[in-house]
Amino acid sequence: MSTFLIRLAAALSFLAVALGAFGAHALRATLDGRGMTDVWNKAVFYHFIHAIALFVLASIFGSTSRGAAWLFVAGICLFSGSLYAMALTNVRWFGAITPIGGLCFLAGWAWLILAPPHR
């Protein structure tokens, strides 16, 4: 399981870098025109931070922190994913999904407070 989580974290980190570059270059005019550059950047930031956290958890602690790891994955998908969708489509109701992802991030961190990983 930890090898899978490491690969997933690496893929999510790769995707965060790619989406950051894509937003800064190929989507710049579109995002600026819609006033969504900050939304895109926030999505990339939270995506990257939690992908790195997932990588650290999987690399150092293996599968002892699976619950927190999966909450981080869900948070990336829901929080960052909804912001990416909103920035690309300019459909504002995607923003209603964002807090659910934020709660997943919080729950993942709370998981680590209550049940810290061990080797």
Side-chain angles (χ1 to χ4, degrees):
M1 177 56 97
S2 66
T3 300
F4 174 76
L5 288 175
I6 290 169
R7 287 182 176 157
L8 180 59
L12 288 169
S13 296
F14 176 93
L15 187 59
V17 173
L19 288 171
F22 189 61
H25 300 288
L27 293 178
R28 176 180 245 162
T30 301
L31 295 173
D32 285 347
R34 293 180 178 163
M36 290 287 183
T37 302
D38 287 341
V39 169
W40 186 270
N41 290 337
K42 185 172 297 297
V44 170
F45 177 76
Y46 277 85
H47 178 161
F48 209 7
I49 292 297
H50 288 88
I52 291 169
L54 175 61
F55 185 81
V56 169
L57 284 174
S59 297
I60 296 173
F61 300 108
S63 61
T64 64
S65 55
R66 273 187 295 190
W70 286 113
L71 285 165
F72 288 162
V73 171
I76 290 169
C77 294
L78 295 170
F79 182 89
S80 295
S82 65
L83 292 179
Y84 291 138
M86 187 169 65
L88 288 172
T89 64
N90 209 26
V91 175
R92 303 293 174 137
W93 67 261
F94 280 118
I97 299 168
T98 308
I100 299 168
L103 289 173
C104 289
F105 288 148
L106 291 170
W109 290 113
W111 187 299
L112 294 173
I113 291 167
L114 298 172
H118 52 78
R119 289 182 142 248

